[in-house]
Amino acid sequence: MRKLALSDEILLRVEKPARYIGGEINMVKKDPKEVEIRFCMCFPDVYEIGMSHLGIQILYDMFNLREDTYCERVYSPWMDLDRIMREERIPLFALESQDPVKSFDFLGITLQYEMCYTNILQILDLSGIPLKASERTPEDPFVIGGGPCTYNPEPIADFFDIFYIGEGETVYGDLLDAYKAWKKTGGTRNGFLKQAAKIPGCYVPQFYEVRYHEDGTLSEFFPVVEEAPERVFKQVQRDMSETYYPEKPLVPYIKVTQDRVVLEIQRGCIRGCRFCQAGMLYRPVRPRSLSFLKPRATAMIEATGHEEITLSSLSSSDYLELDKLVYWLIDEFQERGVNISLPSLRIDAFALDVMSKVQDVRKSSLTFAPEAGSQRMRNVINKGLSEEEILKGAMDAFLGGWNRVKLYFMLGLPGETDEDIEAIAVLSDKIAREYYTIPKEERHGKVNIVTSTSIFVPKPFTPFQWAPMVSREYAEEKREFLLGKVKAQLNGKSIKYNCHDADVSELEGVFARGDRKLCNVILQAYKEGCMYDAWGEFFLYDVWKKAFAENGIDMDFYLKRERREDELFPWDFIDIGVTKKFLLREYQRSKEAVVTPNCREGCSGCGAAAFQCGVCVGPEREKEER
Amino acid sequence: MKARMKFTKTGSMRFIGHLDVMRYFQKAFRRAGIRVSYSKGFSPHQIMSFASPLGLGLSSEGEYLDLSLEEEISKEEFLKRVNEQMNEEILVTDFLFLLEESKSSMAVLAACDYLIFMKPEWGKEQEQGLLAQDSFLADFEKRKAVLQEFLKKERIEILKKTKRSEKQMDIREYIYQLLPAENGMGKLQEDLKKEGYEPVLFMQLTSGSVINIKPELVLEALFAEAGEEYHSAAFQIHRLEMYGDRNMKKGEVHTLKSNPACELVSLAEYGKWKEKTHVSYVGENLEREPHAAGYYDCGQCSVLGKEQDKKGI
């Protein structure tokens, strides 16, 4: 029998014990005594969320290809087990071997969203690892952060030994090799960190010092040891068809959020929406070839037994051979009872044809993300989508038999006016009106529109990194305003309006563009009970407010200021290829509501061409690579 | 084609709920390339059902899953292909095709066998262990005596809790067997002993959709009888086998005292379609399946049995 870290009695007391037993299909089994490096990969959220993440599956597979390394996994214990582990002093353990995390060489934590920051501290705390990197001893693992939030790691800089900035496929091998070499020489903890700091993309926060102006903004940010570079360069996997991809992904026992095969068709996006951080971070767009994707799709379906396959990318419609791929998937898998799901598709004739083949038109709804209601505002955010296109897409869908539409918008975009907000209601109504131009006998009942708004949060490395964020009072007021406008529409009764929580957005806004001063706030909030902040039911707004107040930190400093053009940002030491100059130019163009062409229409000189790959080396080359 | 398989569920798999076990098998069949029949519609799913969901934490070597297959496959081939896709804690141990007329195992389930173990941390060796104390379970003779007294009772009243209510219930009639555990009961007994589990009791209880007696209830009543405290965490309940009743009628429960009394047949035999084991004429069914037409094992299900009786075969 497999050894389990938790007793039967505890497993029967907690919700969904399968979260903690490991042993999933395709789990890698190695003898921990036979390896030189034990790496524990963590997604700091509940199992069902963490197991749905493609990035971990890629790295898990890649690490375990190394004979000298055993990569295992850990996720945040849910609140019920968290309490029991604290009461009974049970150390946090990895799922594979069920051994304590503290006994590992590395703890790698993926940082997918700001609201998981307190969960990082939960993981460290339950593992018995000192929360601050500066307090760790030779017995503790090296704690590494990776993922999108490392593009501004400063609010959590105190808790990590190393941040890995860039795509995981690139320099992890170098880091592990350096670790092995260091271990043989028996050097100090600092000694390894100095070696790590020399590896491109690796940022060791304790080797940098920050100085501030009197107004609280940064005056200087500089390395204090010679091994640490002044600028840290994002690492890019240049050829997406010559790289790692798991052929035997893990298959969980319990139903997880993403319970299907995920095929990443391309990385990056050509669009350049000004609010979108991923669109800038992952430039340039790099497609994977059909000859790379097809055999992997087949292998993964066969190795998992999943009933569904989904395509992953920031904008699937921009994958040039999408039609070929999708029709191949339908031919290959539909007969075998495998569903094909297609997120992030622009609604056009192709999309409707495919969707009518792969889903039940009556039961499914179509999703549009105009992001803003008025054309002016869509130009401000550089969302290349006209009202005409939206209405035509909706009409085509209605004629195809759909009558349910979901619409996504943002509130609080820079320079937003009441007219822009009202335009959300008007556009929703126009879509409903389109439906009712169809003769009654050809319609399928009533139209059903769900309009959702989230609060815009300005993010680092976007043109809006200089922009102020709206207050929660504003968000609440405008939500009421929009609700009134929706109700006042002709088809108001056919439109349901949902809005994202403003309190959480505010905190996300602070952390997104925060600095090192926030480390103590996060630490205090955690110590006073904050955890699972992304889960509405556990979000303790008052505790957070108190933590800010007691540390003398003004949230408005991070939220409400429009930053000076020459302000030194906490994340400026990171080089993502896209230049600050380009971002500033885009910010200025947004103020004039001028649209910038996408990467295929013409190069705007963002700086990502430095990577010499993907769309930057030209469409001809892109074709050749395919 | 209707089929049934028998499987074990032990170790960490005890903590996987039955719906998740269903999903686990669905994915395993797909990996193994077993052609299971699908329901129609836009979200087709594999047609399968459990005889009786096993509670979380319980182990078993007698679980049954009914399924419908698109292809004929030998037992050896089925076991080989499916077991290649299993982890070591769920193993398929038997496979059979069913008569097309046979009802689902859930519908025919009439009784279950259970073996009760003391968990290692509560066993003899441990200081706090129940067995080490003055418990009636600690001593074979004492255990036998308590069981005899218990079973002599006319009525055994328990409090049955449902989601909505609690009610008094007499379960004496539904306890078919209650014995001290013996060697040889269950194929996994020896393996479990090696892990430190100590077999103490065997019981056979009424199960199914009309009356379903959980072994925990009997344990609780037994400890009450012995005047000892019952610690549910001390026991590992291990299901050994499930049975159908040849004399079953829908909506009725036949116990040992009923007239006719229940006639229990393992679900691995109940409704089984055996080729050329016994020729028995069953009318129109002759034409239905050309490859093995008319070769049925008689008396496997009540309807067929009666048909045959009438025809005097």
Side-chain angles (χ1 to χ4, degrees):
Chain A
M1 268 193 263
R2 282 185 65 232
K3 173 194 86 168
L4 296 179
L6 299 173
S7 69
D8 288 5
E9 197 238 328
I10 291 175
L11 286 166
L12 289 174
R13 251 161 77 197
V14 298
E15 203 184 300
K16 298 191 190 174
R19 286 167 173 164
Y20 313 110
I21 61 175
E24 301 93 334
I25 300 302
N26 297 330
M27 180 186 97
V28 176
K29 288 174 206 159
K30 291 188 184 183
D31 182 350
K33 287 187 226 83
E34 299 288 304
V35 297
E36 292 175 71
I37 302 168
R38 297 190 71 183
F39 197 109
C40 189
M41 191 65 83
C42 169
F43 192 112
D45 206 322
V46 74
Y47 180 85
E48 295 92 308
I49 306 271
M51 276 296 278
S52 305
H53 184 243
L54 175 66
I56 285 195
Q57 295 256 12
I58 294 177
L59 295 181
Y60 180 77
D61 183 66
M62 184 184 92
F63 283 140
N64 280 319
L65 283 176
R66 285 177 68 117
E67 275 190 17
D68 59 1
T69 305
Y70 188 13
C71 178
E72 307 186 32
R73 294 159 299 138
V74 68
Y75 304 98
S76 306
W78 191 241
M79 288 296 216
D80 53 357
L81 181 62
D82 176 272
R83 211 168 301 124
I84 294 171
M85 292 177 85
R86 284 170 205 272
E87 277 166 15
E88 307 198 6
R89 299 184 180 277
I90 300 168
L92 187 63
F93 53 91
L95 294 182
E96 276 74 3
S97 63
Q98 301 269 313
D99 286 340
V101 172
K102 194 178 162 80
S103 65
F104 280 65
D105 299 290
F106 288 99
L107 170 60
I109 303 178
T110 182
L111 307 167
Q112 295 294 318
Y113 30 84
E114 291 84 359
M115 300 317 291
C116 73
Y117 287 172
T118 50
N119 281 42
I120 298 167
L121 298 180
Q122 177 210 25
I123 294 279
L124 295 172
D125 205 5
L126 291 178
S127 300
I129 299 169
L131 303 184
K132 292 203 167 185
S134 57
E135 292 162 10
R136 291 184 194 137
T137 70
E139 273 71 58
D140 295 306
F142 287 100
V143 181
I144 308 185
C149 291
T150 59
Y151 291 93
N152 177 21
E154 291 303 278
I156 44 174
D158 286 358
F159 314 129
F160 285 85
D161 296 296
I162 305 167
F163 287 101
Y164 179 107
I165 293 164
E167 294 170 351
E169 293 98 334
T170 50
V171 297
Y172 257 121
D174 299 346
L175 189 68
L176 298 186
D177 290 340
Y179 178 76
K180 261 167 69 178
W182 167 80
K183 211 172 164 185
K184 281 197 185 100
T185 61
T188 62
R189 203 173 162 86
N190 235 20
F192 172 65
L193 291 176
K194 282 184 179 168
Q195 291 303 310
K198 287 200 283 191
I199 297 170
C202 290
Y203 164 57
V204 179
Q206 57 185 271
F207 293 156
Y208 294 78
E209 209 168 296
V210 194
R211 301 226 170 104
Y212 301 92
H213 290 296
E214 237 167 71
D215 65 4
T217 58
L218 261 66
S219 61
E220 277 180 282
F221 184 98
F222 55 93
V224 291
V225 299
E226 61 179 67
E227 289 83 356
E230 262 174 54
R231 289 179 74 69
V232 178
F233 291 88
K234 170 187 87 168
Q235 298 303 299
V236 170
Q237 177 61 42
R238 293 177 59 204
D239 186 344
M240 294 304 292
S241 302
E242 285 289 328
T243 182
Y244 303 94
Y245 206 87
E247 297 198 347
K248 292 182 166 187
L250 289 152
V251 185
Y253 293 116
I254 52 173
K255 208 166 166 50
V256 299
T257 315
Q258 182 96 265
D259 185 31
R260 48 185 79 89
V261 165
V262 182
L263 196 61
E264 188 194 30
I265 57 175
Q266 67 182 357
R267 207 169 281 174
C269 182
I270 57 169
R271 295 275 147 187
C273 298
R274 292 178 180 130
F275 57 85
C276 177
Q277 190 188 33
M280 296 296 161
L281 291 183
Y282 303 123
R283 283 185 173 210
V285 74
R286 288 149 291 153
R288 294 189 199 263
S289 68
L290 288 181
S291 58
F292 179 90
L293 294 173
K294 287 180 181 176
R296 278 163 184 84
T298 305
M300 287 192 289
I301 286 288
E302 285 171 1
T304 58
H306 278 316
E307 299 80 358
E308 188 166 299
I309 183 165
T310 186
L311 304 183
S312 162
S313 73
L314 290 169
S315 170
S316 300
S317 298
D318 294 325
Y319 180 69
L320 290 172
E321 288 177 304
L322 186 69
D323 50 349
K324 275 189 203 155
L325 178 65
V326 169
Y327 288 127
W328 177 81
L329 287 172
I330 292 175
D331 285 347
E332 193 72 14
F333 295 120
Q334 206 160 33
E335 282 290 291
R336 299 199 219 171
V338 176
N339 295 323
I340 295 146
S341 96
L342 299 163
S344 70
L345 265 197
R346 203 167 40 248
I347 305 301
D348 56 17
F350 162 72
L352 292 171
D353 176 55
V354 166
M355 282 190 279
S356 67
K357 287 196 168 89
V358 302
Q359 52 184 235
D360 188 345
V361 172
R362 283 159 303 158
K363 285 183 194 150
S364 58
S365 61
L366 281 180
T367 303
F368 292 87
E371 311 291 1
S374 67
Q375 193 57 50
R376 185 194 80 85
M377 191 47 91
R378 281 195 296 276
N379 292 347
V380 167
I381 62 177
N382 205 38
K383 178 86 189 181
L385 189 61
S386 68
E387 181 168 301
E388 208 186 341
E389 286 171 296
I390 297 168
L391 293 180
K392 180 166 185 315
M395 192 58 185
D396 288 346
F398 295 148
L399 293 171
W402 277 272
N403 62 357
R404 300 203 297 182
V405 177
K406 281 188 202 158
L407 300 169
Y408 289 104
F409 297 96
M410 280 183 282
L411 276 183
L413 287 163
E416 177 179 81
T417 64
D418 282 358
E419 287 75 52
D420 295 318
I421 299 171
E422 186 173 354
I424 295 173
V426 173
L427 181 59
S428 306
D429 185 58
K430 275 188 186 162
I431 292 172
R433 287 182 190 219
E434 282 288 303
Y435 183 76
Y436 289 110
T437 60
I438 302 172
K440 195 172 181 186
E441 54 283 6
E442 289 166 36
R443 299 199 294 250
H444 302 269
K446 280 187 176 174
V447 71
N448 179 333
I449 294 174
V450 178
T451 295
S452 303
T453 61
S454 58
I455 318 274
F456 170 63
V457 178
K459 295 275 165 109
F461 294 110
T462 65
F464 292 149
Q465 63 181 348
W466 286 273
M469 185 175 154
V470 296
S471 66
R472 48 199 286 272
E473 292 77 20
Y474 172 95
E476 265 157 38
E477 184 196 319
K478 297 306 171 188
R479 179 167 55 186
E480 286 304 306
F481 170 76
L482 178 53
L483 185 62
K485 292 295 176 192
V486 166
K487 283 187 180 157
Q489 299 300 312
L490 178 66
N491 296 295
K493 287 206 172 108
S494 303
I495 307 168
K496 185 172 183 285
Y497 172 51
N498 294 327
C499 185
H500 196 252
D501 185 32
D503 293 346
V504 176
S505 304
E506 188 179 59
L507 204 61
E508 187 186 331
V510 172
F511 294 147
R513 293 185 294 169
D515 53 30
R516 281 192 186 189
K517 289 178 275 185
L518 296 175
C519 291
N520 286 332
V521 178
I522 295 169
L523 190 62
Q524 183 181 334
Y526 167 73
K527 286 187 170 163
E528 296 189 7
C530 290
M531 238 196 290
Y532 282 106
D533 297 299
W535 296 71
E537 69 258 50
F538 301 122
F539 182 63
L540 306 172
Y541 186 62
D542 292 339
V543 178
W544 276 109
K545 287 224 92 145
K546 182 167 160 271
F548 275 98
E550 288 177 10
N551 282 283
I553 303 279
D554 178 13
M555 289 170 90
D556 289 351
F557 168 78
Y558 300 97
L559 296 172
K560 293 199 178 153
R561 288 183 306 125
E562 176 168 25
R563 283 139 166 91
R564 289 191 324 272
E565 287 183 3
D566 63 348
E567 182 171 328
L568 178 66
F569 294 140
W571 55 90
D572 275 351
F573 71 96
I574 297 172
D575 191 326
I576 66 157
V578 176
T579 60
K580 197 172 181 182
K581 206 170 116 198
F582 168 77
L583 295 173
L584 186 59
R585 195 164 76 223
E586 279 294 288
Y587 185 45
Q588 284 151 352
R589 285 167 75 94
S590 83
K591 289 186 172 175
E592 293 149 23
V594 182
V595 169
T596 297
N598 74 46
C599 297
R600 286 210 185 100
E601 290 166 342
C603 178
S604 302
C606 73
F611 298 114
Q612 282 296 304
C613 60
V615 70
C616 298
V617 290
E620 273 67 47
R621 179 69 188 282
E622 246 192 311
K623 260 183 216 145
E624 255 171 56
E625 284 176 4
R626 292 199 317 267
Chain B
M1 275 178 281
K2 287 185 182 174
R4 180 175 294 157
M5 63 175 224
K6 184 178 185 181
F7 64 96
T8 66
K9 185 172 183 256
T10 58
S12 62
M13 289 301 104
R14 287 174 298 152
F15 303 104
I16 309 292
H18 72 278
L19 290 177
D20 293 324
V21 173
M22 183 94 82
R23 281 164 25 86
Y24 168 83
F25 279 124
Q26 286 166 355
K27 291 184 198 282
F29 292 147
R30 301 173 69 99
R31 292 195 299 273
I34 303 286
R35 288 175 53 211
V36 181
S37 309
Y38 278 79
S39 65
K40 302 281 176 271
F42 256 97
S43 51
H45 56 273
Q46 295 179 8
I47 300 168
M48 54 173 67
S49 65
F50 282 115
S52 165
L54 189 69
L56 218 58
L58 275 62
S59 60
S60 177
E61 57 187 271
E63 294 306 288
Y64 288 94
L65 180 75
D66 286 4
L67 58 162
S68 178
L69 295 189
E70 292 290 309
E71 61 179 341
E72 219 181 312
I73 182 170
S74 71
K75 172 179 160 181
E76 291 68 32
E77 177 74 7
F78 183 90
L79 295 192
K80 183 177 163 280
R81 269 158 64 185
V82 176
N83 279 334
E84 273 170 8
Q85 301 302 330
M86 296 289 111
N87 57 45
E88 55 268 41
E89 296 174 327
I90 290 189
L91 276 178
V92 181
T93 54
D94 202 355
F95 172 78
L96 52 143
F97 276 107
L98 298 176
L99 297 167
E100 285 303 302
E101 294 80 358
S102 57
K103 295 190 184 112
S104 70
S105 52
M106 187 188 288
V108 301
L109 179 69
C112 292
D113 286 348
Y114 299 94
L115 196 56
I116 316 294
F117 293 87
M118 301 290 296
K119 285 192 178 173
E121 57 271 34
W122 292 81
K124 257 185 227 164
E125 312 295 319
Q126 308 297 321
E127 224 174 287
Q128 300 297 317
L130 277 189
L131 277 183
Q133 294 163 17
D134 238 359
S135 171
F136 72 97
L137 284 174
D139 179 278
F140 185 83
E141 288 306 320
K142 217 163 160 187
R143 195 185 327 168
K144 218 167 128 185
V146 171
L147 291 179
Q148 267 170 6
E149 280 308 304
F150 186 67
L151 291 174
K152 265 188 210 157
K153 290 160 71 111
E154 284 278 300
R155 297 174 64 80
I156 297 173
E157 294 280 340
I158 56 110
L159 196 62
K160 191 162 171 133
K161 288 172 196 153
T162 63
K163 271 174 202 149
R164 259 164 283 153
S165 65
E166 290 185 356
K167 63 173 184 194
Q168 285 291 122
M169 185 181 174
D170 173 18
I171 59 166
R172 175 62 193 90
E173 197 187 350
Y174 305 120
I175 303 174
Y176 300 162
Q177 295 190 58
L178 181 57
L179 308 163
E182 287 167 30
N183 288 338
M185 287 172 165
K187 291 187 176 119
L188 297 181
Q189 190 186 144
E190 292 308 314
D191 292 346
L192 283 158
K193 274 185 188 165
K194 275 180 209 145
E195 303 277 341
Y197 289 84
E198 176 78 27
V200 285
L201 294 169
F202 169 85
M203 47 180 90
Q204 185 175 67
L205 308 172
T206 306
S207 304
S209 52
V210 184
I211 298 282
N212 193 59
I213 304 298
K214 291 187 172 176
E216 294 91 329
L217 282 177
V218 178
L219 280 174
E220 224 172 307
L222 190 60
F223 272 83
E225 171 72 16
E228 291 182 20
E229 195 185 345
Y230 170 61
H231 299 277
S232 62
F235 297 98
Q236 178 61 47
I237 297 170
H238 179 73
R239 183 142 67 185
L240 290 175
E241 185 57 282
M242 293 191 217
Y243 302 93
D245 172 12
R246 279 194 186 159
N247 296 326
M248 169 174 250
K249 271 192 196 146
K250 203 179 169 195
E252 289 180 14
V253 174
H254 292 257
T255 66
L256 293 174
K257 288 180 181 165
S258 310
N259 186 18
C262 60
E263 196 182 337
L264 299 179
V265 182
S266 150
L267 287 184
E269 292 299 324
Y270 199 101
K272 183 173 182 177
W273 179 345
K274 289 181 189 163
E275 276 185 83
K276 296 181 184 177
T277 48
H278 189 131
V279 184
S280 51
Y281 177 65
V282 282
E284 287 143 31
N285 294 319
L286 205 58
E287 276 86 41
R288 195 179 294 172
E289 299 291 346
H291 57 274
Y295 296 104
Y296 295 139
D297 188 25
C298 70
Q300 298 287 332
C301 86
S302 54
V303 177
L304 256 185
K306 273 168 202 148
E307 286 287 332
Q308 291 156 7
D309 289 346
K310 266 186 227 159
K311 293 195 171 94
I313 294 171

